[in-house]
């Protein structure tokens, strides 16, 4: 059974960190997938409004917020929110430890007070953390993800007292809080179900801890050469680094480009 859909993490997979454009070999490979009628999806922790656009390449859709908000050209495929009480609990826990929380809905995001680590975190997506006046109000809206600039040893403390969230991260200085039953694998399942594809018909590429479940679930799970060790261990195939056009070399290896 052939590949019918491909999922790509962005930072560290399609793009070198801090870069704005993909390399020409990777661009050619993505265009070849389109010519073969293989659907291509971005699979990212970014909000939908921070998903990059690449001139000349039309992605079929986006799995955003680490799988809690997925959509294509026809509309929303999956939308899962963090329970409002859990949003407030995480904000309270973080406040007790002196950390701000960046809250994101499908339309906007805002923070209660500034922090350099979170500024750096969002800067990788060419965005900035904006302190908003109606922070209490955004907590009551449909929150898909929360972001904190904290080390891993505080993860359990920051979500203490919640029942509907979990932590995912690809950087040891920041974490994403998402709905407990979400992740890139759950987003992939929803998208595959939407199109009537099986997991064996999917290939997925990633490098971070938030990509691991997607790589494990895909028929062909590919870890970049710059991926975390545990991500490489979970993959079916380990390719070259993002800087060495690992997406391109993999698609050629499997006869897809």
């Amino acid at each position: 059974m052939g590949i019918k859909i491909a999922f790509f993490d962005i930072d560290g997979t399609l793009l070198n960190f801090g870069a704005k454009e993909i390399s020409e070999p990777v661009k050619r490979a993505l265009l070849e997938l389109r010519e073969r009628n293989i659907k291509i999806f971005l699979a990212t922790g970014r909000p939908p409004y921070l998903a990059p656009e690449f001139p000349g390449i039309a992605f079929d859709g986006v799995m955003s917020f680490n799988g809690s908000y997925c959509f294509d050209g026809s509309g929303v495929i999956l939308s899962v929110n963090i329970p409002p009480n859990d949003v407030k609990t995480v904000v309270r826990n973080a406040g007790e430890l002196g950390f701000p929380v960046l809250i994101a809905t499908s339309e906007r995001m805002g923070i209660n007070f500034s922090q350099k680590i979170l500024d750096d975190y969002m800067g990788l997506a060419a965005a900035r953390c904006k302190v908003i006046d109606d922070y209490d109000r955004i907590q009551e809206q449909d929150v898909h993800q929360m972001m904190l600039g904290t080390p891993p040893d505080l993860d359990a403390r920051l979500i203490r007292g919640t029942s509907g969230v979990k932590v995912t991260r690809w950087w040891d200085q920041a974490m994403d809080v998402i709905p407990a039953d979400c992740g890139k694998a759950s987003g992939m399942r929803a998208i595959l179900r939407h199109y009537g594809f099986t997991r064996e018909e999917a290939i997925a590429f990633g490098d971070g801890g938030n990509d691991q479940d997607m790589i494990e679930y895909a028929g062909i799970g590919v870890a970049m050469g710059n991926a975390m060790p545990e991500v490489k261990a979970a993959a079916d195939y380990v390719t070259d680094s993002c800087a060495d056009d690992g997406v391109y070399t993999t698609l050629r290896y499997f006869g897809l480009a």
Side-chain angles (χ1 to χ4, degrees), residues 23 34-35 57 159 209 231 255:
S23 70
R34 297 283 300 181
E35 291 176 6
I57 303 174
I159 64 171
V231 177

Side-chain angles (χ1 to χ4, degrees), residues 199-244:
R199 59 190 292 187
E200 290 77 19
E201 295 171 315
I203 186 171
F205 295 76
D207 69 300
N210 60 335
D211 299 315
Q212 184 171 335
D213 65 342
M214 173 178 74
I215 287 171
E216 291 174 335
Y217 186 75
I220 302 175
V222 182
M224 306 301 291
N226 50 281
M228 295 177 172
E230 57 270 29
V231 177
K232 291 181 178 179
D236 300 300
Y237 183 77
V238 178
T239 187
D240 296 329
S241 69
C242 178
D244 292 323

Side-chain angles (χ1 to χ4, degrees), residues 3-26:
I3 296 297
K4 294 183 179 179
I5 188 167
F7 295 86
F8 301 94
D9 172 55
I10 298 174
D11 303 297
T13 300
L14 284 179
L15 288 177
N16 285 308
F17 288 101
K20 296 182 180 180
E21 297 182 2
I22 59 176
S23 70
E24 282 302 316
V26 173

Side-chain angles (χ1 to χ4, degrees), residues 10-11 15 19-20 42 44-54 62-65 71 102 104-109 118 121-129 145 147:
I10 298 174
D11 303 297
L15 288 177
K20 296 182 180 180
L42 293 172
T44 180
R46 299 188 189 199
Y49 34 85
L50 294 183
E53 294 184 0
F54 302 111
V62 179
M63 177 202 303
S64 65
F65 290 133
F71 59 94
L102 181 63
T105 71
S106 63
E107 298 180 348
R108 65 176 186 137
M109 60 184 183
L118 272 179
Y121 191 46
M122 298 310 298
L124 295 171
R128 66 185 183 90
C129 298
Q145 185 164 286
M147 289 149 276

Side-chain angles (χ1 to χ4, degrees), residues 158-237:
L158 288 162
I159 64 171
R160 189 175 67 186
T162 65
S163 59
V165 300
K166 68 180 180 182
V167 172
T168 187
R169 61 168 68 229
W170 53 265
W171 189 31
D172 62 2
Q173 297 186 62
M175 73 172 183
D176 298 336
V177 179
I178 61 175
D181 56 353
C182 285
K184 290 191 178 182
S186 67
M188 181 189 293
R189 280 193 294 271
I191 293 166
L192 294 178
R193 186 166 56 247
H194 176 75
Y195 289 112
F197 298 156
T198 67
R199 59 190 292 187
E200 290 77 19
E201 295 171 315
I203 186 171
F205 295 76
D207 69 300
N210 60 335
D211 299 315
Q212 184 171 335
D213 65 342
M214 173 178 74
I215 287 171
E216 291 174 335
Y217 186 75
I220 302 175
V222 182
M224 306 301 291
N226 50 281
M228 295 177 172
E230 57 270 29
V231 177
K232 291 181 178 179
D236 300 300
Y237 183 77

